[in-house]
Amino acid sequence: MKIIHLHQEEAEIIKLAVANNRQAQQQIYGRFSPKMLSVCRQYIKDIQLAEDVMITAFMKVFTNLNKFEHKGSFEGWIRRIMVNECISYLRVQKKVKFTEDEIYVEESFNAIDSQFSIEQIQFLIDALPDGYKMVFNLYAIEGYKHNEIAKMLGINEGTSKSQLSHARKMLQTQINTLKKLDNGTE
């Protein structure tokens, strides 16, 4: 029995997919689509629209698969395409507005209590204005730095920091309200 290492197997599947092997492309889609739909859903509230954006992004993945250099994580490469496609979609829809607010206050932010479900947390994030939500997702979830976010969104770094600060403050207020409701004090 021949043992194939996961990385070698992934590299082989990518090679086949580059050669337009439909089974290899289906394997890649099947393996990564659940996670990537979740990524798209972080940016786009409507699940059907998020799925449409994900499918468009996968078309870009397969079109540009020959550009993947096998230097980093394949999943990370796909994820970056998904995030960029979500940003492009939201820009075209003109759903995102950033206030040019250079003044921001770096506040401490308490981690969200584990008493909340993933659905509740996603609901709170979805309730943020689109600009706050996008910067929050890019910074807190995707791990981008403010200078990278600014470049991706065509805003200045101060605006990115300000949007994040406002998002955090808004989330903290929503969390406190939920806690009071759960404790029956409001």
Side-chain angles (χ1 to χ4, degrees), residues 75-166:
E75 181 177 332
W77 183 78
I78 294 173
R79 185 180 190 104
R80 186 173 192 104
I81 291 172
M82 294 293 155
V83 168
N84 287 332
E85 191 61 29
C86 288
I87 291 169
S88 293
Y89 169 79
L90 291 170
R91 268 196 190 129
V92 168
Q93 298 301 312
K94 297 187 185 336
K95 292 188 177 226
V96 182
K97 290 180 177 60
F98 297 100
T99 55
E100 292 294 324
D101 184 4
E102 291 282 337
I103 301 167
Y104 67 95
V105 178
E106 189 65 39
E107 298 176 15
S108 63
F109 183 72
N110 301 330
I112 296 176
D113 291 332
S114 59
Q115 74 187 51
F116 298 113
S117 69
I118 292 172
E119 291 79 19
Q120 287 174 309
I121 294 168
Q122 185 63 54
F123 179 78
L124 294 176
I125 294 170
D126 283 343
L128 293 172
D130 289 327
Y132 293 2
K133 179 179 171 181
M134 189 177 297
V135 172
F136 179 83
N137 281 331
L138 289 170
Y139 185 85
I141 296 172
E142 301 297 334
Y144 288 102
K145 293 177 175 42
H146 285 293
N147 61 341
E148 296 170 314
I149 294 169
K151 192 180 286 184
M152 288 171 76
L153 301 179
I155 58 177
N156 63 46
E157 196 171 329
T159 301
S160 175
K161 290 177 181 179
S162 171
Q163 297 285 299
L164 178 64
S165 177
H166 291 306

Side-chain angles (χ1 to χ4, degrees), residues 1 5 24-25 28 38 92 96 108 124 158 166 176 179:
M1 176 163 70
H5 297 289
Q25 290 173 343
I28 290 170
S38 177
V92 168
V96 182
S108 63
L124 294 176
H166 291 306
N176 290 337
K179 282 182 184 177

